[in-house]
Amino acid sequence: ETTETLFPEYFSGTVIIRTKDGRELKHYQKYNLGTDRNPFARDRVIDKFMSNATRAVSERRARSVLDAVMTLDEAPDMKALEAAGSMAP
C-alpha cells in the first residue's frame, strides 16, 4: 500500500473503495492527468475544451477560439485570438 504524495509538484493520491461484500479496491495515481509525466493526448484536450467552451458560446465560436489557440505558434501576432475571443458580433 502506498500513500506517497509528490505534492506540490503533482497531486498524487490513492482512492480506496470498500464494497458491501467486503472487498477493498485501491488505485494509486502517482502523477495526475495533464502533467508532464502523464500528459493529455491532443484529442482529449480538444474534446475537453469543446465540451466546456460550448456551455458558454456557440460551437462555431468555440471552434474559432480553438483554431486560434492551436495555431498560436505560427501566428505573427495575437489578432486572430483576440478576434476569436471577442464577444463583439
Side-chain angles (χ1 to χ4, degrees), residues 2 4 11 17-18 20-21 23 25 29 32-33 43 48 54-55 57 66-67 72 75 88:
T2 183
E4 173 189 9
F11 292 95
I17 298 172
R18 291 182 182 87
K20 289 181 179 181
D21 65 5
R23 291 178 296 140
L25 309 170
Q29 187 76 39
N32 50 299
L33 188 58
D43 61 327
K48 183 173 183 175
T54 54
R55 292 172 185 243
V57 299
L66 177 65
D67 291 344
L72 275 175

Side-chain angles (χ1 to χ4, degrees), residues 10-89:
Y10 302 100
F11 292 95
S12 310
T14 302
V15 172
I16 302 170
I17 298 172
R18 291 182 182 87
T19 65
K20 289 181 179 181
D21 65 5
R23 291 178 296 140
E24 190 171 90
L25 309 170
K26 295 180 187 179
H27 176 75
Y28 171 68
Q29 187 76 39
K30 188 171 187 175
Y31 304 107
N32 50 299
L33 188 58
T35 64
D36 60 332
R37 303 293 292 269
N38 189 13
F40 261 167
R42 179 178 162 64
D43 61 327
R44 288 188 72 187
V45 171
I46 291 169
D47 290 347
K48 183 173 183 175
F49 172 80
M50 290 300 293
S51 176
N52 287 317
T54 54
R55 292 172 185 243
V57 299
S58 69
E59 185 169 344
R60 180 176 171 211
R61 182 171 295 250
R63 181 66 57 188
S64 178
V65 171
L66 177 65
D67 291 344
V69 168
M70 298 304 273
T71 58
L72 275 175
D73 59 334
E74 303 162 4
D77 54 41
M78 299 291 286
K79 289 181 181 171
L81 181 58
E82 289 171 5
S86 170
M87 294 310 280

